[in-house]
Amino acid sequence: MDTLNAMDTLKAILGDLGIPEESLHKDTLLRKDLQLDSTETVEVSLGLKRKLGVSVKLEGWQDMTLAQVCNRVEAAILASSNSKSLS
């Protein structure tokens, strides 16, 4: 899984929530810039799980950029593939 794929998937999920693609950049903050509420943040988490098969917790108090979300997605994918290769 490369960063581009995770970012494309994240942008597609945010687009489904009605957020225009031109406002989505790697340093865009989910809450401060996109004004996502807790329900929409959960929708993003669920979308990532459905499309990429990984659970990424975004509901914490800390606001994250799209790049940080992608980093978490990649770390979760890596951890998931590592645990599969160990079993």
Side-chain angles (χ1 to χ4, degrees):
M1 171 73 47
D2 57 25
T3 309
L4 191 61
N5 195 359
M7 183 63 82
D8 288 345
T9 303
L10 181 58
K11 285 182 176 181
I13 292 165
L14 291 166
D16 290 346
L17 291 174
I19 296 166
E21 186 163 348
E22 57 271 11
S23 63
L24 303 177
H25 308 285
K26 62 181 173 59
D27 56 351
T28 301
L29 289 162
L30 292 178
R31 288 198 273 282
K32 182 173 182 274
D33 297 331
L34 300 181
Q35 303 293 309
L36 293 189
D37 63 24
S38 58
T39 305
E40 291 165 324
T41 306
V42 170
E43 284 293 318
V44 172
S45 283
L46 290 173
L48 291 169
K49 180 152 181 68
R50 275 195 301 272
K51 294 179 186 229
L52 299 175
V54 293
S55 296
V56 181
K57 186 171 178 356
L58 304 175
E59 301 85 53
W61 55 270
Q62 181 186 4
D63 203 357
M64 284 192 281
T65 65
L66 301 190
Q68 289 170 315
V69 174
C70 289
N71 289 340
R72 284 198 176 186
V73 167
E74 289 160 22
I77 290 170
L78 194 60
S80 160
S81 67
N82 283 346
S83 66
K84 285 179 187 154
S85 65
L86 294 175
S87 54

